[in-house]
Each structure stands twice: as structure tokens, then as C-alpha cells.
Amino acid sequence: MLAILGGTGLTQLTNLEITRRQVMRTPYGEPSGALTFGTLGGHEVIFLARHGYGHTIAPHLVNYRANLWALKQEGVKRIVSVASVGGIRADLVPGTLVIPDQIIDYTYGREFTFVDGTDRAVTHTDFTQPYTQSLRSRILAASRIADVSCLDGGVYAAVQGPRLDTIAEVNRLERDGADMVGMTGMPEAALARELGLSYATIAAVVNYAAGRGDSCNGVNLDNVGKVAQGVMAHVRTLLECVVECDGD
């Protein structure tokens, strides 16, 4: 089964035919909300709003471990994450969709692993390729079928939030090789890998990162909301095609 983890701007899937909702309990606490079961394009999926269905959970307070554990417990094998990002690279203008292939983790203080020394032996997880290539390829193929433009590849910088970055911080991210900046990419991707889940991200560029484009004197948050609303319509179309292309 495939699950969709919605981020900012995607607290609900309007094209999802909901069949039931289920409150979950995990050894790591409660997920961001009840799991929403339904069909998308006639195919069964599970949807979970990462920040809660009222968008009340800040990026650094998301219970990533509970979210991933609950999805795994319900038989999920593949997760498509939707994340809003700021564009650093010149071609990542607001409204662009990109499927990143690498990630840099700048977060801190988050519960970032299931290997916590309490009930399982220490293991080391290969994270050379943080996103599952087969799932990335499926999303890109679906984008061509659905005629939704997506850029292939990019480095996602995961920062702490919830505040946005300074120009100097974005300059550092760019020097490190980052193409976009978001707040929820880690530890979510690493936790999915630890659980053996396929995982890929659809990154929606909703603003220029600080010091880029029209964000040299600050990010217009009202405009970010308008861009997010528009680009998420394309995300919904793409997700429906991804689900149709999915198979066990």
C-alpha cells in the first residue's frame, strides 16, 4: 500500500474518497493525527497530514517516529512525501515541483532514529541514496503522463524551523550544495529507511529562499500561501497519477 504524507498546504486531499479514519497508538507516542484511509483514482491509499489536520504542529515538534511507525503498522510499503520548500537554485522559482535526490540534515534535537538503545541492537543504515530511486522514477513517469512539470533531482537542505532563514544562512546552504530548503525532510527520510519503507518527496517551491528573487528584503508570507494553494492543485493531480501507476 502507498501512503501520502502531506505538508504545509496539503492538510487534506480534496480528490480523496475517504472510507474511514483510524486513531493510532505507537510505542513512540501518537502520530500527527488519525490515519485517513480512502481511494484516490480508485486505488486505496492512506493519507496523513504531517503538521496535523489543523496545521498546528511545528516542524521541530512533529512526531516523525510515531508517524512512520503507524504507517508501517498498517501495511504501508511506499511513502510519497509532499513538502513545501524555498528555492535556492536559480531555476527553482515559486510554483516549481521538484523531486529531490539528495538531502543535507541541519536539524537538531529531534528524535531521529528507532535505534535508541532500549529494545534493539545497534544497526547502521545505508543512507547513500536517501530517496528510493524506483519510487522517484515512478513519480517522474507519472508527471509525464499527467502533464505536470517536475524537475528531476536536487539537494534538499533540512533546517530546524519554524523561523525562516537569514540570507547568510541560505548563502551557507548554497555553498554546501543545497538547491532548496525545507523544515521536514529529516529525520523523516532516515526513519523510513530504517523501517525498510520506500520513500520519495515531491518538493513544492512556494517561495524564493532568503536573498534570492523577490526575497532579498524578506519573504512575503501572504504570497507564499497563494503560491502554495496554486501549486498544490498540481500536486493533487500528480498524486492521483502516481497512485494509478503504483503496484505491489
Side-chain angles (χ1 to χ4, degrees):
M1 185 185 295
L2 184 141
I4 298 165
L5 265 171
T8 300
L10 197 68
T11 55
Q12 60 179 338
L13 275 174
T14 54
N15 50 347
L16 178 68
E17 295 183 15
I18 298 172
T19 56
R20 64 186 175 95
R21 291 184 173 89
Q22 183 170 328
V23 175
M24 301 291 295
R25 300 287 187 270
T26 81
Y28 305 97
E30 296 185 7
S32 297
L35 302 187
T36 301
F37 293 76
T39 57
L40 193 61
H43 299 267
E44 187 176 4
V45 298
I46 298 177
F47 177 75
L48 177 62
R50 184 185 293 113
H51 298 284
Y53 293 97
H55 201 270
T56 56
I57 307 173
H60 65 297
L61 296 177
V62 172
N63 192 337
Y64 296 96
R65 294 198 299 180
N67 286 349
L68 274 295
W69 190 272
L71 292 172
K72 170 81 171 183
Q73 190 174 357
E74 288 303 307
V76 166
K77 296 180 180 178
R78 292 168 295 281
I79 294 175
V80 176
S81 158
V82 179
S84 297
V85 299
I88 300 175
R89 203 172 73 198
D91 61 330
L92 298 189
V93 302
T96 303
L97 295 180
V98 56
I99 313 303
D101 61 346
Q102 282 293 325
I103 196 164
I104 306 175
D105 187 8
Y106 298 92
T107 65
Y108 53 88
R110 302 183 182 190
E111 298 290 351
F112 62 91
T113 181
F114 293 107
V115 185
D116 56 12
T118 57
D119 61 351
R120 62 179 64 194
V122 175
T123 57
H124 300 283
T125 303
D126 180 21
F127 207 49
T128 306
Q129 302 292 341
Y131 301 102
T132 305
Q133 183 55 43
S134 59
L135 187 53
R136 289 187 67 256
S137 296
R138 183 167 291 167
I139 295 170
L140 291 165
S143 74
R144 293 188 288 271
I145 295 170
D147 196 24
V148 174
S149 178
C150 282
L151 297 181
D152 180 5
V155 179
Y156 180 118
V159 298
Q160 184 71 355
R163 70 165 177 84
L164 300 181
D165 307 280
T166 68
I167 292 175
E169 287 170 333
V170 173
N171 289 343
R172 181 192 65 163
L173 300 180
E174 186 173 42
R175 288 193 299 271
D176 287 350
D179 300 307
M180 68 201 84
V181 55
M183 300 176 187
T184 58
M186 288 291 286
E188 193 173 89
L191 292 169
R193 180 62 52 85
E194 285 188 7
L195 291 178
L197 300 171
S198 294
Y199 179 93
T201 291
I202 300 171
V205 183
V206 296
N207 61 277
Y208 288 104
R212 275 69 182 160
D214 61 2
S215 294
C216 292
N217 295 313
V219 175
N220 186 327
L221 296 178
D222 290 334
N223 193 50
V224 168
K226 294 176 183 177
V227 173
Q229 185 175 8
V231 74
M232 288 305 163
H234 297 297
V235 170
R236 292 183 184 97
T237 299
L238 176 57
L239 287 172
E240 187 164 337
C241 192
V242 169
V243 172
E244 290 175 354
C245 294
D246 188 55
D248 290 311

